[in-house]
Amino acid sequence: MTKRQPIFPEGRHALYEQHGYSAAVPAGELLFVSGQVGSRTDGTPEPDFERQVIQAFENLKATLAAAGCTFDDIIDVTTFHTDPQNQFETIMAVKQQFLGEPPYPTWTAVGVTWLAGFDFEIKVIARIPTTSA
């Protein structure tokens, strides 16, 4: 069995070590990205909800870039929300800024009661671009 080769973004936040997980792990042509939250580098949540969502997308962007991927490589998105009914409009506006135009990846939104002090989390599966020789 091949040992996992984790990928971390430059300037990674403290949550990876605090909770013992990798930002992303490639497997074949796919990149499995852990749930990204709106954390500051010390691991604390961004207090403003909209800025927390933006920071989660920025953390996702940095993790994708560390693997040579962009938002265009995302195949599947799962988001977690502590108060979907009141948060959805803000999330949709931020999501549009980052995921842009169709065709969109698949997306599943899940309402949850706890996200370790955060109010939004996004995890994705992306394809790893191949380079032509």
Side-chain angles (χ1 to χ4, degrees):
M1 183 171 170
T2 305
K3 187 173 184 174
R4 281 185 294 272
Q5 299 295 319
I7 293 173
F8 291 97
E10 189 175 319
R12 64 190 189 191
H13 57 72
L15 292 176
Y16 300 120
E17 284 76 26
Q18 289 172 5
H19 298 280
Y21 67 101
S22 297
V25 175
E29 297 177 1
L30 297 177
L31 181 70
F32 294 83
V33 181
S34 292
Q36 300 295 302
V37 292
S39 65
R40 300 170 176 167
T41 55
D42 67 359
T44 60
E46 172 59 53
D48 176 79
F49 180 71
E50 183 176 13
R51 289 196 321 229
Q52 188 181 126
V53 175
I54 291 168
Q55 187 61 54
F57 274 89
E58 290 292 347
N59 291 342
L60 174 58
K61 181 179 179 180
T63 299
L64 289 168
C69 299
T70 69
F71 285 104
D72 289 338
D73 297 307
I74 294 174
I75 298 166
D76 183 64
V77 176
T78 304
T79 55
F80 303 91
H81 317 263
T82 57
D83 187 4
Q85 186 171 354
N86 292 314
Q87 298 168 337
F88 217 68
E89 187 176 325
T90 299
I91 292 164
M92 290 300 292
V94 173
K95 178 179 165 277
Q96 182 61 32
Q97 291 173 33
F98 286 88
L99 292 180
E101 300 298 318
Y104 299 112
T106 62
W107 178 32
T108 302
V110 181
V112 298
T113 59
W114 184 81
L115 287 173
F118 295 89
D119 293 306
F120 175 80
E121 182 172 325
I122 181 169
K123 72 179 275 51
V124 304
I125 300 170
R127 67 178 168 269
I128 299 170
T130 56
T131 55
S132 301

